Amino acid sequence: MARVAAVTGNEAVAEALRQINPDVCAAYPITPQTELMQRFSSFVANGKVDTEIILVESEHSAMSACVGAAAAGGRVATATCGPGLALMWEMLYVASGMRLPIVMAVVNRSLSAPLNIHGDHSDAMGARDSGWIQLWSENAQEAYDNTIQAFRIAEHLDIRLPVMVCMDGFIISHSIARIDYLEDDPVKNFVADYKSVYPLLDLDNPKSFGPLILTDKYHEYKRAQHEVMTRVKDVVLTVASDFEKMSGRKYELFETYRLDDAEIGIVILNSAAGTAKDVVDSFRERGVKAGLLKPRLFRPFPYEEYAQALQRLKAVAVLDRSDSFGGYGPVFMEICSALYPLAQRPAAVNKIYGLGGRDFLPQHAAEVFAELEEIARTGRVKTTKEYIGVKE
Amino acid sequence: MKPEGWRDLTPGAVILDAGNAREVKTGTWRTVDKPVFKEEHCSNCMLCWLFCPDMAVIVKDGKMVGFDYEYCKGCGICAFECPGKKGQKAIFMEEEKK
């Protein structure tokens, strides 16, 4: 039985964490993530959860405390955004390298300078090589559902890796939307009790975490880490299937929208995908075969599945809400890598949009689809990478 | 047995066999000097045993009896700390003839 509520994205993720009741949560407040942890802290203060909250002096310390608590054997969650995630950078690699299944909500925010608190994907894209699994969420419902699934994925015995659950700062984190909550018991049964494989606090079996590994074995440890990542997509699909049985809501590696017979398509992450889907509909009404792909699992990146989904397109535009200055946008780079092995592949262009919370409007998606129509007709790409919605 | 390939490694590089520092023979790091023990100047205060950063000081029945050079890096801390007896140190560093 679902409970329908009108909540912010932050509130929805805090509610998921309340239902999951992690052992330890170490966090540091940063806009726009602050409300999430403030709400979860209220659950702790009011005795709604048994979680031990560790207040720290920075995000570097927050992730350090999470690493220690997870190595000790606890189920651990945290949340951050933007510069906070950037400050965690060193410890992100420690968490994944130690195979600690920490779950972290990332409320996507831009990076300084200039200082900006609004939503873009620069933070999580900067952490894409850190060995964390990344799940991206279009709205509060997906952020809530992904958070619940993230614990099962992170703690799966084939994996044991940390997971980031990403949602757009302010656009989702602070906007109130309708959400279907699950009841507490089904969620608790779904995530089940957590049992650490090598808990440090198992004093009868002493062990050490974090050894120095030099030229003789470091290369091998990284090879093993890569291998674990190759198992993630199957686990993500298995967990999604179980989640669908419980909730009736279907999740895959990515979402396709009217893509099956499409000739032109947009690849776009998170909240802007919702806007772009409306524009797909309006182009369809005009008889244009437009479609959309919204990535969900960005790390590890399931290249073959993406290639299969996009291979029939004549032209594809990949929209990035972050830039790799001097390079192409990060999603575009992945999509091109996925398409390259195909003998026949769509023409591809990269559009940078919405940095620092700049609105992504239906007209922006419409302009991109109009350009794709032209490219599909002529086969000619004028500019590979271009900023859109920018004041000239 | 030590793991050989990447498939044999423990997840996250966790070390499950406690006390395995014994397998690392730090004595191979020693380059110039090694400590020499003069039993007649030793009061068995155990400061050398306490200060040794590895496990190079051999103690039997509560008495210092000598060095296990497989675990001696030649750092000289034992010789520095040794109070000896009547102004004579029980441990001094000596150039090692290789």
Side-chain angles (χ1 to χ4, degrees):
Chain A
M1 285 290 104
R3 286 183 290 134
V4 176
V7 294
T8 64
N10 278 337
E11 205 172 346
V13 174
E15 174 69 359
L17 293 180
R18 181 192 67 75
Q19 294 178 308
I20 290 155
N21 192 10
D23 298 311
V24 176
C25 175
Y28 191 81
I30 180 166
T31 302
Q33 159 266 27
T34 307
E35 183 208 10
L36 197 166
M37 272 302 144
Q38 170 245 313
R39 287 185 183 276
F40 185 72
S41 301
S42 298
F43 293 139
V44 176
N46 296 331
K48 304 287 185 193
V49 289
D50 311 310
T51 308
E52 180 162 350
I53 280 225
I54 305 174
L55 299 176
V56 287
E57 71 278 20
S58 77
E59 285 84 359
H60 188 280
S61 304
M63 186 47 65
S64 299
C66 287
V67 164
R75 174 179 270 166
V76 180
T78 184
T80 191
C81 68
L85 184 63
L87 186 52
M88 279 182 183
W89 202 75
E90 180 191 9
M91 303 315 295
L92 295 177
Y93 284 70
V94 176
S96 61
M98 287 188 182
R99 305 273 302 276
L100 302 174
I102 299 162
V103 172
M104 173 160 64
V106 175
V107 186
N108 298 117
R109 167 183 159 173
S110 57
L111 296 174
S112 307
L115 180 61
N116 178 292
I117 56 170
H118 287 278
D120 77 27
H121 303 156
S122 307
D123 51 2
M125 286 303 166
R128 71 176 175 184
D129 299 337
S130 64
W132 283 58
I133 296 164
Q134 287 190 350
L135 296 175
W136 293 72
S137 324
E138 179 179 328
N139 49 39
Q141 184 74 61
E142 290 191 7
Y144 170 81
D145 291 349
N146 278 339
T147 301
I148 293 167
Q149 292 175 70
F151 283 87
R152 276 276 300 273
I153 295 165
E155 295 167 4
H156 195 286
L157 284 169
D158 287 353
I159 299 181
R160 294 278 153 140
L161 282 173
V163 180
M164 286 178 201
V165 177
C166 303
M167 67 170 161
D168 285 347
F170 287 109
I171 301 165
I172 299 305
S173 69
H174 284 61
S175 299
I176 293 176
R178 179 194 190 279
I179 190 168
D180 287 339
Y181 280 144
L182 298 159
E183 295 294 345
D184 289 2
D185 283 345
V187 173
K188 287 184 195 311
N189 292 336
F190 182 80
V191 297
D193 287 337
Y194 171 62
K195 196 168 183 306
S196 167
V197 180
Y198 298 120
L200 267 178
L201 289 180
D202 173 12
L203 301 182
D204 294 332
N205 297 291
K207 56 189 75 69
S208 296
F209 274 82
L212 173 75
I213 306 285
L214 296 175
T215 47
D216 58 336
K217 280 281 188 295
Y218 183 89
H219 200 55
E220 281 69 31
Y221 276 106
K222 294 296 127 178
R223 174 65 185 85
Q225 203 175 338
H226 162 69
E227 187 70 14
V228 177
M229 273 298 211
T230 65
R231 297 182 213 141
V232 170
K233 70 180 178 190
D234 290 339
V235 172
V236 168
L237 290 172
T238 304
V239 171
S241 166
D242 288 350
F243 187 81
E244 187 183 359
K245 282 174 204 147
M246 170 175 67
S247 67
R249 293 191 286 275
K250 188 175 173 66
Y251 285 90
E252 296 177 282
L253 303 177
F254 46 77
E255 181 195 338
T256 57
Y257 186 74
R258 306 186 83 163
L259 192 67
D260 285 348
D261 65 336
E263 291 176 354
I264 57 174
I266 278 181
V267 177
I268 191 164
L269 278 167
N270 276 17
S271 65
T275 308
K277 283 178 205 169
D278 278 350
V279 179
V280 168
D281 289 344
S282 66
F283 272 70
R284 285 278 175 173
E285 280 161 27
R286 286 173 27 209
V288 179
K289 288 186 173 174
L292 178 143
L293 186 150
K294 181 187 74 182
R296 174 175 180 245
L297 181 67
F298 187 77
R299 274 293 177 274
F301 197 83
Y303 292 94
E304 287 168 17
E305 287 81 354
Y306 277 85
Q308 203 165 17
L310 298 169
Q311 63 184 346
R312 285 176 300 277
L313 293 174
K314 289 179 180 164
V316 61
V318 182
L319 275 65
D320 272 287
R321 201 164 206 153
S322 63
D323 198 356
S324 175
F325 304 101
Y328 294 130
V331 185
F332 182 74
M333 289 195 259
E334 299 302 0
I335 295 296
C336 286
S337 298
L339 295 176
Y340 187 78
L342 299 175
Q344 275 211 307
R345 48 185 178 262
V349 291
N350 187 200
K351 306 293 181 191
I352 309 292
Y353 75 99
L355 300 187
R358 169 65 50 84
D359 279 334
F360 179 72
L361 301 171
Q363 73 192 57
H364 298 135
E367 284 164 17
V368 172
F369 274 123
E371 184 182 333
L372 288 176
E373 279 189 275
E374 176 75 11
I375 293 170
R377 192 166 53 244
T378 62
R380 276 205 305 276
V381 171
K382 282 184 197 142
T383 313
T384 301
K385 177 186 170 184
E386 191 179 41
Y387 273 59
I388 60 170
V390 68
K391 293 166 187 162
E392 296 291 348
Chain B
M1 205 166 79
K2 280 192 170 184
E4 295 299 326
W6 64 267
R7 290 179 185 82
D8 308 317
L9 304 172
T10 55
V14 62
I15 295 172
L16 298 171
D17 41 341
N20 74 346
R22 192 182 299 274
E23 292 165 23
V24 182
K25 302 285 171 65
T26 50
T28 61
W29 303 0
R30 201 169 61 250
T31 51
V32 182
D33 293 342
K34 68 173 186 180
V36 177
F37 180 50
K38 283 257 184 207
E39 194 182 353
E40 59 265 37
H41 298 146
C42 176
S43 66
N44 289 304
C45 67
M46 292 297 136
L47 282 181
C48 55
W49 176 82
L50 188 66
F51 276 92
C52 177
D54 207 302
M55 41 190 271
V57 177
I58 305 168
V59 175
K60 279 198 180 127
D61 302 326
K63 287 186 173 172
M64 157 62 169
V65 296
F67 291 104
D68 182 345
Y69 290 106
E70 287 198 320
Y71 297 106
C72 173
K73 295 189 280 283
C75 68
I77 292 174
C78 55
F80 181 84
E81 295 294 340
C82 178
K85 265 199 303 214
K86 298 177 184 170
Q88 298 275 3
K89 283 198 181 246
I91 301 170
F92 59 92
M93 300 302 286
E94 187 179 83
E95 192 175 343
E96 198 166 9
K97 302 280 187 290
K98 293 236 168 160

